[in-house]
Amino acid sequence: MSKQAKKKHRETNDQEAQAPSRMKAKTYAQALAKLHVELVKLQEWVRHQGLKVCIVFEGRDGAGKGGTIKAITERVSPRVFRVVALPAPTEREQSQMYIQRYMRHFPAAGEVVIFDRSWYNRAGVERVMGFCTEAQTERFLEMTPMVERAMIDSGIILIKYWLEVSPEEQTRRLEARTEDGRKLWKLSPMDLQSYSRWYDYSRARDAMFAATDTDFAPWHVARSDDKKRARLNIIRHLLSQIPYEELPHERITLPKRQKPHGYQEPDYPFKVIPEAD
């Protein structure tokens, strides 16, 4: 092994030794189950109090936004927790006021709306990939705090998360997508272009934070190299941001089923799907 290879090998071992060990699946599942119970309590409190909650998730491709959102929503009602992941704007939407297509998804009373990417596209991908002009981006950064102030003044609880992933972990995750048929849809030509422009995105992120990390609508940063830990940390933080109480409820007892009163199962040729071994 060459000196350079040995040096790189030592550096890799040092980094692995310093990095915290990844959370085990069983530990994660147990912690998540407890947090799911709290999220259900939060859900019922939001409905009872008529709260309006808006949660924004931003971050680089592969940072873990989708997995975190799934962890939050998998045990709650989709009628209360709504996920908004908008496609590229149509020609009509491009002619509208920029924030307009997002505003129609803002929460009403008793709703939690989660944006899987949001109006901050203008400060990130649109800016880096040249889908808007610098003047449009600067105007967006100037106006956004005022829009968010208006949201909060209207009674919306606005919580903004940025998931921060290291370049090494992002590479590992994106490469894994190329080999996993379940994740190929997550890797678009745009993702590949954005991957090569790491520092352009870093500059765009820094400018976004400088302009929109306000006292009334701050950015909360979660390090997401360990996806399991990141999800748990974000859910715990989310629960801490919305004061809630467990509502009293009666113990649920299933009623007795009615008697058949002569009913017999029909001799009908149901088209039953094949059962795998």
Side-chain angles (χ1 to χ4, degrees):
M1 184 182 293
S2 67
K3 289 184 178 180
Q4 186 175 3
K6 288 180 179 179
K7 181 180 179 182
K8 185 175 181 181
H9 182 70
R10 284 197 302 271
E11 290 175 349
T12 301
N13 288 340
D14 290 343
Q15 290 173 357
E16 291 177 352
Q18 293 172 7
S21 59
R22 299 296 173 97
M23 178 173 283
K24 294 181 179 179
K26 183 177 180 180
T27 303
Y28 168 71
Q30 291 173 342
L32 184 59
K34 293 178 181 179
L35 291 174
H36 280 157
V37 173
E38 295 305 312
L39 284 169
V40 170
K41 293 177 185 178
L42 172 63
Q43 169 186 277
E44 297 308 298
W45 185 254
V46 166
R47 288 203 298 189
H48 181 262
Q49 296 294 107
L51 301 182
K52 298 180 290 184
V53 182
C54 182
I55 307 171
V56 169
F57 279 95
E58 294 289 345
R60 302 175 193 269
D61 295 318
K65 299 179 294 297
T68 300
I69 292 170
K70 182 179 179 181
I72 293 171
T73 59
E74 64 181 332
R75 294 294 182 176
V76 292
S77 170
R79 295 177 181 83
V80 178
F81 280 73
R82 292 193 292 111
V83 178
V84 178
L86 298 183
T90 63
E91 185 176 348
R92 180 176 182 274
E93 288 172 333
Q94 289 176 4
S95 70
Q96 296 175 343
M97 180 175 67
Y98 176 73
I99 195 69
Q100 189 170 341
R101 76 186 191 118
Y102 296 98
M103 290 180 68
R104 66 190 183 93
H105 296 284
F106 285 180
E111 292 182 344
V112 179
V113 173
I114 300 176
F115 281 93
D116 184 353
R117 293 198 182 278
S118 65
W119 48 94
Y120 282 101
N121 274 338
R122 174 133 295 182
V125 63
E126 290 190 14
R127 181 178 207 173
V128 173
M129 303 309 296
F131 296 147
C132 65
T133 66
E134 278 299 306
Q136 287 174 319
T137 301
E138 292 301 327
R139 183 60 174 163
F140 168 82
L141 293 175
E142 178 185 352
M143 295 296 296
T144 295
M146 288 183 275
V147 172
E148 293 179 353
R149 176 79 264 180
M151 291 172 66
I152 292 166
D153 288 347
S154 76
I156 293 176
I157 299 171
L158 177 60
I159 306 171
K160 303 186 300 190
Y161 290 110
W162 174 272
L163 274 63
E164 185 66 30
V165 65
S166 68
E168 296 80 13
E169 181 62 15
Q170 186 196 45
T171 297
R172 190 192 68 78
R173 291 178 186 176
L174 295 184
E175 286 180 342
R177 290 179 183 180
T178 67
E179 301 169 359
D180 190 337
R182 300 167 300 173
K183 298 179 180 179
L184 286 175
W185 64 272
K186 291 185 174 184
L187 200 58
S188 68
M190 187 63 61
D191 296 332
L192 297 177
Q193 291 184 51
S194 66
Y195 171 79
S196 67
R197 307 184 69 170
W198 176 273
Y199 293 105
D200 287 342
Y201 272 93
S202 294
R203 294 183 184 94
R205 176 204 58 197
D206 296 347
M208 182 187 77
F209 275 23
T212 64
D213 185 22
T214 58
D215 292 339
F216 52 85
W219 280 102
H220 304 286
V221 178
R223 300 194 182 280
S224 62
D225 277 14
D226 185 335
K227 291 190 290 187
K228 294 182 178 68
R229 278 198 173 89
R231 292 168 190 170
L232 297 178
N233 289 335
I234 289 170
I235 295 174
R236 291 187 189 105
H237 183 270
L238 171 61
L239 291 168
S240 74
Q241 295 300 293
I242 309 170
Y244 67 97
E245 299 175 14
E246 181 177 4
L247 295 173
H249 59 272
E250 295 181 0
R251 183 176 178 83
I252 299 173
T253 303
L254 294 178
K256 292 182 178 180
R257 280 205 177 105
Q258 65 180 162
K259 295 181 179 180
H261 297 297
Y263 175 81
Q264 293 182 351
E265 291 289 340
D267 184 15
Y268 184 83
F270 292 108
K271 298 175 179 64
V272 180
I273 64 171
E275 297 182 9
D277 295 335

